[in-house]
């Protein structure tokens, strides 16, 4: 029997996989222990493939939670950052001041505070302003946002007491009035339903009416749309945004505070923002939990860059809004170019993109993509960088609205490689040949991108 190669020599032979030596040793050791030293390379490659990595999002879901939501170009040198330092006075400063001022400028809020994510913003507001006291919420808004974020659980965690009003489908102002009189709540909480929508016999009470109840209204708008007028878009807001609550307008209608995500319609990094009345924001900032959910310099710098870019209308710095505002003619031109590179197997198709990230469900954005017959999504994911596409009705579609134009050649390369892998022996397989591909492979791929907000 041949002696197994030394683990160390085997690990060294895998250097080109690009993992640090100790991880290659792990792979080599496991392969040798299993009596299959030849499998070491595949094990190491699997380890490398499981690392956090860049991917091309061709799903058409612009804010794909599984793919990190808003893409953001951000780099910084290895230098100190003035996270809590006031350069003018040379003294300690307050963390996040510049970001707060930019949020105020963009939303009209009196004050703002940045935390690590939207969930932390809601938790901190409830803990700081309502611990041990009642908070009134409509039964139609006791939602689960995804990733286990359930409003009743967050309320319980904060120490506030939930007072439910109305019914699942209808809540009226009188329901809130009765609860306010009876329970003397600390807050009325209005939650954007985000990922689901009620239709039919429904009623809800808007912020302006709630504001008249004499209790501070906190609106968890989630989406991160700063201003419904989208002054950062030359052409004004696209029609599909019409139903999204926006921070400036919600505060204008009388909400005392709004909470939202930095990586949804704001288009920035994962972060959460609390904005509104200076007195309430200060109480949140002073609560001990604020220390536990404070962001670091990396996040603050990325939020600041995003907010400055929105003010400067520099959409190259906010790719999400660039993707939103790309016209169909431009998408079609790009799709044609990709299709030409791929060859006769590829076809330019109209498709429907979506904002994702908990923005209104069922709202579609017209888009254009490149389709090939059959389900080649697994092969596209094996490309480096992986291309994540959707298989539906017997074909694979790469929606170009969620793809950076600089990545169009990557999509083309991945499609060429996937088609070659899919049709061994049928060199340059034509659409006609691949068109016959129906069966378990196709059905397996029909699941959508699986988007949780
Ligand atoms: C997305 C969302 C949250 C959670 O925000 P994260 O940034 O994902 O933590 C909370 N509330 C609403 C209404 C949301 O849509």
């Amino acid at each position: 029997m041949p002696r197994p190669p030394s683990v160390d020599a085997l690990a060294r032979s895998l250097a080109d996989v690009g993992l640090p030596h100790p991880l290659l040793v792990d792979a080599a050791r496991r392969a040798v222990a299993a009596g299959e030293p030849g499998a070491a390379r595949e094990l190491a490659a699997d380890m490398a493939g499981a690392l956090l990595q860049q991917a091309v999002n061709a799903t058409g879901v612009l804010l794909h939670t599984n793919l990190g939501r808003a893409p953001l170009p951000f780099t910084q040198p290895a230098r100190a950052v003035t996270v809590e330092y006031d350069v003018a006075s040379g003294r300690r400063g307050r963390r996040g001041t510049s970001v707060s001022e930019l949020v105020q400028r963009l939303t009209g809020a009196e004050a703002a505070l940045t935390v690590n994510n939207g969930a932390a913003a809601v938790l901190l507001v409830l803990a700081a302003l309502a611990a041990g006291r009642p908070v009134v919420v409509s039964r139609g808004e006791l939602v689960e946002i995804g990733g286990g974020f359930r409003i009743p659980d967050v309320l319980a965690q904060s120490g506030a007491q939930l007072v439910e009003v109305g019914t699942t489908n209808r809540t009226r102002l009188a329901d809130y009035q009765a609860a306010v009189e009876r329970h003397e709540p600390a807050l009325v909480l209005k939650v954007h339903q985000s990922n689901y929508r009620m239709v039919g016999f429904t009623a809800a009470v808007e912020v302006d009416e709630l504001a008249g109840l004499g209790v501070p209204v906190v609106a968890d708008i989630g989406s991160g749309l700063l201003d419904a007028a989208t002054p950062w878009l030359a052409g004004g807001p696209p029609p599909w945004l019409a139903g999204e609550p926006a921070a400036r307008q919600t505060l204008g209608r009388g909400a005392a505070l709004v909470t939202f995500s930095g990586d949804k319609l704001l288009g920035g990094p994962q972060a959460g923002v609390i904005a509104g009345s200076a007195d309430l924001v200060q109480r949140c900032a002073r609560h001990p939990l604020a220390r536990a959910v404070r962001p670091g310099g990396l996040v603050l710098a990325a939020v600041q860059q995003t907010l400055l870019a929105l003010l400067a209308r520099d959409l190259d710095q906010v790719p999400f809004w660039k993707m939103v505002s790309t016209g169909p003619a431009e998408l079609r031109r790009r799709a044609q170019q990709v299709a030409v590179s791929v060859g006769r197997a590829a076809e330019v198709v109209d498709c429907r993109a979506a904002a994702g990230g908990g923005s209104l469900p069922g709202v579609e954005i017209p888009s254009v993509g490149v389709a090939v017959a059959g389900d080649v999504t697994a092969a596209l994911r094996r490309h480096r960088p992986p291309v994540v596409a959707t298989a539906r009705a017997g074909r694979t579609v790469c929606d170009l609205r969620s793809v950076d134009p600089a990545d169009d050649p990557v999509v083309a390369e991945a499609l060429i490689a996937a088609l070659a892998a899919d049709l061994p022996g049928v060199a340059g397989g034509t659409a006609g040949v691949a068109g016959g591909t129906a069966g378990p492979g196709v059905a397996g791929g029909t699941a959508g991108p699986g988007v949780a907000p």
Side-chain angles (χ1 to χ4, degrees):
M1 244 188 32
R3 275 180 53 189
S6 100
V7 164
D8 197 59
L10 183 54
R12 263 183 277 121
S13 77
L14 303 174
D16 60 294
V17 174
L19 288 175
H21 188 65
L23 296 181
L24 295 175
V25 169
D26 292 348
R29 190 171 285 139
R30 270 165 50 207
V32 169
E36 287 185 77
R41 174 164 292 275
E42 204 182 322
L43 278 176
D46 286 350
M47 280 163 100
L51 290 175
L52 204 58
Q53 60 189 299
Q54 310 226 313
V56 175
N57 173 7
T59 63
V61 178
L62 305 187
L63 301 168
H64 198 304
T65 296
N66 305 153
L67 295 174
R69 294 194 185 152
L72 196 68
F74 182 81
T75 54
Q76 65 178 21
R79 280 216 183 103
V81 181
T82 57
V83 174
E84 279 184 13
Y85 187 76
D86 180 50
V87 176
S89 67
R91 287 217 284 265
R92 184 177 172 183
R94 270 198 305 120
R95 182 178 295 248
T97 308
S98 65
V99 171
S100 299
E101 281 165 7
L102 292 169
V103 170
Q104 289 158 224
R105 177 68 179 75
L106 279 152
T107 63
E110 229 173 64
L113 178 68
T114 308
V115 295
N116 279 332
N117 50 52
V122 178
L123 179 64
L124 177 56
V125 165
L126 294 171
L129 307 180
R133 296 192 53 198
V135 171
V136 176
V137 191
S138 161
R139 288 198 168 90
E141 296 173 9
L142 292 172
V143 296
E144 173 175 323
I145 304 292
F149 182 82
R150 296 175 148 195
I151 291 295
D153 296 345
V154 175
L155 254 149
Q157 209 41 245
S158 74
Q161 297 151 11
L162 171 61
V163 175
E164 305 177 20
V165 295
T167 61
T168 301
N169 58 328
R170 287 172 73 85
T171 304
R172 298 190 195 80
L173 186 59
D175 299 323
Y176 284 100
Q177 274 162 343
V180 166
E181 276 162 31
R182 191 143 150 229
H183 298 279
E184 293 182 12
L187 302 171
V188 170
L189 177 65
K190 176 135 184 89
V191 184
H192 180 40
Q193 289 163 340
S194 291
N195 49 358
Y196 90 107
R197 182 154 49 165
M198 292 196 301
V199 293
F201 188 57
T202 66
V205 185
E206 294 308 320
V207 166
D208 38 8
E209 288 183 273
L210 295 178
L213 289 168
V215 175
V217 177
V218 173
D220 176 24
I221 62 170
S223 73
L225 181 59
L226 294 173
D227 186 338
T230 59
W232 53 88
L233 294 184
W240 57 267
L241 264 188
E244 280 301 332
R248 176 181 286 278
Q249 285 69 24
T250 305
L251 291 169
R253 284 184 197 120
L257 289 179
V258 290
T259 54
F260 53 90
S261 268
D263 51 358
K264 292 186 181 173
L265 299 185
L266 183 59
Q270 177 178 306
V273 177
I274 301 167
S277 133
D279 164 47
L280 300 183
V281 170
Q282 259 163 39
R283 279 168 60 195
C284 292
R286 281 197 302 262
H287 189 273
L289 202 52
R291 174 65 177 76
V293 296
R294 76 178 190 187
L298 204 59
V299 166
L300 287 171
V303 177
Q304 175 179 282
Q305 172 186 296
T306 306
L307 297 174
L308 287 172
L310 290 174
L311 284 165
R313 290 184 165 188
D314 177 6
L315 297 193
D316 285 333
Q317 299 296 316
V318 201
F320 167 74
W321 283 102
K322 195 169 182 176
M323 289 168 177
V324 162
S325 53
T326 304
E330 170 63 8
L331 287 172
R332 192 167 306 280
R333 187 194 61 74
R334 287 171 49 197
Q336 268 153 4
Q337 217 163 41
V338 171
V340 165
S341 312
V342 175
R344 278 201 297 148
E347 193 188 346
V348 174
V349 293
D350 289 323
C351 49
R352 305 262 140 205
S359 53
L360 288 177
V363 177
E364 294 173 329
I365 311 172
S367 191
V368 184
V370 178
V372 298
D375 180 356
V376 297
T377 51
L380 291 175
R381 290 197 310 274
R382 280 194 295 273
H383 190 262
R384 289 296 171 264
V387 173
V388 185
T390 314
R392 197 177 291 128
R395 65 183 186 179
T396 300
V397 178
C398 293
D399 187 324
L400 291 188
R401 189 177 284 283
S402 55
V403 175
D404 186 314
D407 282 334
D408 287 355
V410 178
V411 172
E413 278 165 33
L415 281 169
I416 291 165
L419 288 168
D422 201 41
L423 298 168
V426 189
T430 63
V433 173
T437 324
V442 176
T446 46
V451 187

